[in-house]
Every structure is written in structure tokens, then in C-alpha cells.
Amino acid sequence: MTQTPGRSWQDITDAGKRGDVPEGLWMRCPRCEAMVYRKNVEQNLHVCPECDHHYRIGADVRARQLCDPESFEPQWSGMAPVDALGFVDAKPYKQRLVEEREKCGQPDAVVCGKGFIKGRGVVLACMDPQFMMGSMGSVVGEKVTRSIELAMDTDRPLVVVSCSGGARMQESTLSLMQMAKTAATLAKLDQVGGLFISVLSDPTTGGVSASFAMLGDVILAEPKALIGFAGPRVIANTVRQELPDGFQRSEHLLEKGFIDRVVHRRDLRSEISRIIDYAGK
Amino acid sequence: MTTANTYTGTYELEFERPLLQLERQIAELESHSRDSEVDITADVRKLKQSHTAMLKKIYAKLGAWNTVKVARHPGRPQAIDHIRVMAKDFCELHGDRHYGDDPAMITGFARVGSHKCLIVAHNKGKDTRERIACHFGCAHPEGYRKALQKMKLAEKYGLPVVTLIDTPGAYPGIGAEERGQAQAIAANMFEMSRLRVPIVSVVIGEGGSGGALGIAVADRVAMMQYAWYSVISPEGCAAILWKTGEAAEKAAEALKLTAADNMKLSTVDEAIPEPLGGAHRDPDAAIANVEKWISQSLRELKRFKVDNLVNKRFERFRRIGSYEEK
């Protein structure tokens, strides 16, 4: 048995090269290849002004974009990952954690807190693709779980912006169990009539899509985001055929009935507010 | 008494090679004794003793990768064997009421010991035709939805749920994605966490990632001694982190996927012992141990008030994780 379900890291990192905003004053959009002025892209919420390509953004930028100015208060910022397994691949997990932290200035791949979106109080969790491709280990699982609990305690709607390659291999079954932990806590939120708006961004795959990301009361997705259980390369290797056009992209999932709306980044704030109002939260 | 079929194939575990010579000698002596007057009982006994000693020695320090190989041994009892041996009057129930009937997931009412229950189990298939139909034990969304639909039925009639896990992972295919593999697995965990009947799970072979956890959110989770349970298969992990599937052995070690390792991580509650040399050497004895654990666990869980049971199940998963906080 040589089959290896799960996403391919290569898929994700390749997509990462296409998705991140490159360095420099001017940059070439990886999708439409137009030369665009970097500041314009940033002012445009990191969306290409020419072709609407949605770049991947860090958790801080995301929280700032979604919340009313100065309203986001981060929580549990002191929580940091540990190497419970003594995991060593090309380099030790311990070392990887230090390097990733230096690279993106965060101790792990999620930023959570309280904030306001168009005046509506929310609990917000944003995943950060810059930290080990947004992978979910104990810290991500615990912080998302606490966010759900905070939403219950404060009776605020919960908004989680997912951006992740899936569960983090370096914490093995501890990572895996975070799927059950977050799903079980969401069941509690559901029981008390809470509102969970799940926002999927590029990419949302593996153990994150197969747990809290797909459990939203309402699920929104940014345009053309890669969303799925297994990575496209793993699927192509398994079925040995070419994958259909647009396969596993937001629009495809919309067509298949797995998400509620595809929403442009500039409309996220108003769309989230609207749903909060309809739910009476 | 129904028994599991004994494996008669020729699958060979590399690390068991030192045993082969002894086995050959024993067979030779035994066949020789049939045609001669010489009494060789003592010699055979001696050889068998050293065979047992060597087997003990090999299995005492098996290593993670060899454990994975034992877990995948074609002669290892599959869920269907467990059901055949331990379940009296198994009443299989088919279909997910949405799309189809996934043969990679078996569900049905059964009696295990004195307990009426619902069994939910991965199915790998016995011969080539079955294996292909079951995608080698990789269930589709309809398999997970079938499991959930039957678990809701069990809840309605107050029947405890027994799940047997044996999968390399959920199926990664076009149809599986289009029918919402991720959503199906997520929904199962969500609903199992609050199902108002006792749930016990046993990883009987392979516990591959979300495909395993999708039917393993239980009050008690056990692993058979030589089963594996991990966030990803060793081959998948090797391909991603070492960039070559050949590093699977290293990945298996790093992933801490054995029963003993998972006990240390508190991700499983118990390891169910297997006969010396693995379940494939004595399937009936292996299944008897599993049955004993299931019966005992259900007896204990049935004593809890339902609210208490569900709370404890939640807490069991809520506390898993390892991090520091300043």
C-alpha cells in the first residue's frame, strides 16, 4: 500500500510562490503578469488592481483589514508551540519554530482576539500562511478553541478566516486531535445558538478544511481560493488523470453546494455585517 | 464458534527472515518423522522454543516502521473478521441516504457480548476485486455520511456505538472532493462529540489521519498493540518533509505513531495486547482481546448519565494539545 492521502507540501509551497506579494517597488502580478505598483496593491487590500487576483496576506494585515480602525484586541498572544515529539526532519522542529517566528513575527500560525466589524462586536481568528503554511498544531487548535469559547462567553459572533495547508505533521496525533477539539467546541457553540461565519481564503485544505473551516453556519470564500481535503497533486497522482478546470476553487465549491457565497475581499466587511444582522447577533 | 480465516498467503515481513530458517527446519523434521521410526519430539520442541524466543526478541523491539508493516499485513484480521468473530447476529445497514453505499465503510446492528450496539468500521476488502471496490480502505464522503446516519439511528434507539478503524486515509479523488470529503469528516466529528450514547473506538490496523478520526471521536479510544495512528501516513510525510517516499522509515519514527507513543501523548487511552508475533499469527486470540476491551468499556460507560458521558467525551478531546503560555 503506497497510497498517501493528504495534501502535498509542494502543491502548497508552489501555490505560495504564486500567491505572495513579491518584494520591490514594482511587481509583476503572478496571475495576469501586469506590472503593478506595490503601494497600489497594498492600498487595494492586497488584490491585484488589474485582474483581481487575491494575494495571500498575514494574520495581522487580515485583522486590520476586517476590523474597524484600532478596534482589534489580540488575545493569548503569549501562547507558543513546543516540540512535544522531538520531531526532526531536514531540520529540528524546535529550530524551525524559532526561524518561522523570526520570519513572520508571530509565535504560531493564528492571531485571535476581539474586535468590531462595522460597529458589530465579534471574536475574530485569522490564520497566517507565513508561519509554516498556516499549519494547525496544538497552538492553532487551542487558540481557535478558546476563540469559540470566548464567542460563547461574550455572546458575540465568531469569525474565523482560514488559510492553511492542514494539520501540522511535526505534532502528529496532537495536531490531528485539534480537528476533533475545534469541531467539538463548535458543536457547543451551535447548541447555544451562536453564529459562526467561516471565511475561506487561499489555501484551505487538509485538517483545517476537514474541521472548523467547513463547519461554519455560513461559509464565505474569497474568489479562486484553493479549498479541499487533499491537495491537487495527491489527487492527480491517485486518479492518474488531469483535474478538471477550476477544480477545488471557490467557484467550483459554490457550484457543488459546499459554500454559501464567493466574496471579493473588499466586500468581506459588509457581507459579514449583513449576515450578523440577519442572524440577529 | 465462528473463527477468522487463517491467512495462507506468502507475504513476508523482512525483519522476520531469521525465523524462516527455523520454521523450515521444523517443517522438515516434522515431515521426516512421519516417514521414520526415530523420535524427534524433543528436537522439534527445542526448535520451537528457540523460534518462540526469537519471535519474542524481534517483537520486543519492533520499531515504528516495522509496526506499520505488521499493521498492513494481509493476514491481519480486518474489521470484517472482527465482526464475524465477535458480533452475533450482525445486521448490516447500507446507504447514506444522500448519494450511495460506500463499501469502504461497513455499518450495522450487532450484539457484542451482552451489548446490543451499532458497529461502524472501515473495510479494506479481502481479495483484489473487493480491495479495488473499497479503494483499499479509503472511504468516500458517502462512507462518512453513511456512518453518521447510522450513528444517529443508534442514538435514537439508545444503542452504543463501536467503531473499528483501519484506513490509510480518506480517499483523495475528484468525486470525493466534489461531494465534500472535508465537510463530511468535519460533520462527523461535530456530531459524534455530542452523540447521546456511549462510543468506543479501536484502531485495529491503520489509523490514517482525518479518515480515521472521522469515526473516532469516542468516549474511549484504544489501539491494538501493533496498529498505527498518525496525522499522515509515513509515506506521505516522507514525500513532503524529506522530499522522497523512501524516507518513510524515518518519518514513521518521527511521527510517534505506535500505540505506546500515542498512549504517552494521551491521544489514545489503551493499547490492546496482540498475540506474540502479531494479530496475523492468531486472529481469533487477537479479536478476543478486542472484544474483551469493548465489552468491558461499554459496561463501564453505560453506568454514566448521558449528560455526564457527553461532557467527559468533550473534555477528553478539549484537553489534548501541548503548548506553553507566558
Side-chain angles (χ1 to χ4, degrees), chain B residues 119-139:
Chain B
I119 295 182
V120 173
H122 289 114
N123 185 27
K124 282 188 160 176
K126 284 285 183 185
D127 53 32
T128 309
R129 192 182 51 84
E130 278 180 18
R131 282 193 187 119
I132 291 167
C134 296
H135 296 94
F136 301 88
C138 300

Side-chain angles (χ1 to χ4, degrees), chain B residues 196-214:
Chain B
R196 296 179 65 77
V197 287
I199 309 174
V200 295
S201 295
V202 185
V203 185
I204 57 169
E206 301 191 78
S209 194
L213 188 59

Side-chain angles (χ1 to χ4, degrees), chain A residues 4 7 9 78 80 82 138 142 145-146 149 172-173 176 178 181 187 190-191 210 228-230 248 252 258, chain B residues 177-179 182 186 189-190 193-194 213 231 235-236 240 254-256 262 317-318 320 322-326:
Chain A
T4 54
R7 68 252 164 264
W9 202 250
V82 293
S138 297
E142 180 65 24
T145 302
R146 287 190 191 181
E149 289 166 343
S172 198
T173 38
L176 184 67
Q178 303 309 311
K181 181 161 114 182
D190 178 61
Q191 216 94 28
F229 177 67
Q248 292 187 310
H252 184 76
F258 286 97
Chain B
E177 292 289 328
E178 291 185 331
R179 296 195 292 279
M189 297 187 303
F190 182 87
S193 75
R194 62 182 183 188
L213 188 59
V231 69
E235 288 89 345
I240 296 166
L255 284 167
K256 301 278 184 280
N262 275 292
F317 286 93
R318 176 64 188 86
I320 298 178
S322 185
Y323 51 86
E324 60 185 19
E325 210 163 6
K326 277 165 215 149

Side-chain angles (χ1 to χ4, degrees), chain B residues 38-51:
Chain B
V38 192
D39 183 21
I40 47 108
T41 344
D43 291 335
V44 170
R45 198 188 318 126
K46 226 190 222 162
L47 280 175
K48 281 192 173 164
Q49 275 166 357
S50 40
H51 183 269

